[in-house]
Each structure stands twice: as structure tokens, then as C-alpha cells.
Amino acid sequence: MTSRAAPKPAPNLKFAHIGLVVSEIDVMTRFYVDVLGFTITDSGVFGEMRVAFLSRDPEEHHQIVLTTGRPADLPANTINPDFGPVIQQISFKMGSLADLRDMKGRLEQGGATRLTSASHGNAWSLYAHDPEDNYIEFYVDTDWYASQPFYVPLDLTRSDEDIVEETRALCEASPGFKPIGRWRADIARAMAPPFQK
Ligand SMILES: [Fe+2]
């Protein structure tokens, strides 16, 4: 009788940052600092390229790195013009619906364009485009899981109570509905072990 060893799990790994190639690094840096609250942790020149490292987490030297060299005429996404041609979205987690409303005002004041908002059942999302048209998302987790994709327009002028109740009802009507704690426990069994320092 032969026994097969369990497959070795993937090594310890955590997604940590993204790099964006930009045209106007000063404009983009100011937007991420002034509107989103990032800190410039380092910046400089590397050969022909300017570089800016941005973070909002002292555990991470950079969460976003901006480098110059973006081609002038990038093609558009062929299906959804809101999305980038390669990077579909860059997403930031927030703590409350009040934070989402605060960010909406900051984005409007700070030069972001084409703002929209949506409920995904498991999250409430605010979308916009940064000064170089990258699609950025700000979201708040809900307490429920609903099968994805799930997209219902969201009116952030409504009260928290109204939004919560409507989303809860929509989730409960979803075929995949689960409390989010249950979903997390279930999906954890399918994943490699979480990152350990
Ligand atoms: Fe998203």
C-alpha cells in the first residue's frame, strides 16, 4: 500500500504593496498625500526615473510606489471604461459609512473624477478616478457574505440604519448568504496558512 504525502503548503506570504507608473509624479504624489493621507517615506531618482514611496502604515515602508515612465497614449479597457487597461482597481479599506462619506467629500475637493458608490453585499464601496485615471475604491466591510459579483447602486446620503437594513435584506436573499464570520471560517480551510511574522 502506498501513501501519498500531503502537498507542502505555499511558503509564508502576504500581499503588501503595488507600484504605479505615472506621468506627473508630483501631481499624483500630492493627491495620495493630501486627499488619501499617505506619507512620503522616501523619494528620489534612479537613473532616468523619479520614484516616490508612500505609506499609511509604519509596518510597511511603502504601500504604493510611484515611478515615472508612463506611456502617453495608453489604450482604454476594452469592456469597462472605468477600469484601467491592466490594473482594474486599487482598493482601500475604511472603518465606517461615515468615513466613506468623509472620503467622498475629500475626493470631490481634491480633484478625483467620476465618483460612484455601490453595495456589494459584503462591502459598501465608493469609487473614483485619481488624477491619472486609475480606478480607486474605498470600502467598508459588512457583516454578511453574498455571492459575487453583486452590485447594487448605493446612495450615501441615506442614513446608516437604512443602508444596513437594505443591505442585510439583499444579502439574505442571495443564494450564497452567510454571516461573514462563517464565510471566513469556511474559506480559511481552502487557503494556505495566514501570514506569520
Ligand atoms: Fe473591490
Side-chain angles (χ1 to χ4, degrees):
M1 184 173 161
T2 57
S3 64
R4 200 181 294 173
K8 188 180 170 193
N12 201 18
L13 177 153
K14 180 182 184 180
F15 180 75
H17 64 263
I18 188 171
L20 293 177
V21 183
V22 302
S23 297
E24 300 291 338
I25 195 165
D26 294 325
V27 172
M28 286 287 279
T29 300
R30 289 269 47 103
F31 178 82
Y32 281 90
V33 169
D34 294 346
V35 181
L36 273 60
F38 278 80
T39 294
I40 304 168
T41 57
D42 269 308
S43 64
V45 176
F46 191 76
E48 301 271 298
M49 187 176 71
R50 290 183 60 195
V51 188
F53 299 93
L54 309 177
S55 186
R56 283 202 53 161
D57 181 351
E59 294 289 317
E60 302 290 347
H61 173 266
H62 52 284
Q63 294 174 304
I64 298 177
V65 54
L66 304 177
T67 62
T68 51
R70 177 175 159 134
D73 296 309
L74 279 180
N77 185 290
T78 61
I79 296 175
N80 185 332
D82 276 337
F83 301 163
V86 176
I87 296 172
Q88 192 258 4
Q89 61 181 256
I90 307 159
S91 299
F92 304 93
K93 184 175 279 198
M94 299 193 83
S96 68
L97 286 165
D99 286 348
L100 273 193
R101 295 186 189 96
D102 186 8
M103 184 53 75
K104 185 168 188 278
R106 295 176 69 89
L107 291 165
E108 286 165 345
Q109 294 277 315
T113 56
R114 294 149 59 206
L115 276 68
T116 55
S117 46
S119 170
H120 297 291
N122 62 353
W124 295 295
S125 297
L126 169 67
Y127 296 97
H129 294 80
D130 75 11
E132 295 197 355
D133 222 25
N134 299 295
Y135 194 48
I136 51 178
E137 176 189 22
F138 304 85
Y139 72 94
V140 176
D141 283 339
T142 75
D143 292 335
W144 315 287
Y145 169 78
S147 299
Q148 304 290 322
F150 178 117
Y151 185 105
V152 177
L154 172 66
D155 178 358
L156 284 169
T157 66
R158 295 170 61 207
S159 70
D160 285 13
E161 294 71 22
D162 284 357
I163 291 171
V164 167
E165 282 315 307
E166 181 192 71
T167 301
R168 185 206 311 270
L170 287 167
C171 285
E172 287 175 352
S174 160
F177 170 75
K178 295 178 187 181
I180 198 64
R182 168 85 63 77
W183 182 82
R184 287 179 180 144
D186 290 348
I187 205 71
R189 286 194 285 276
M191 289 182 177
F195 182 78
Q196 305 291 325
K197 259 191 173 179

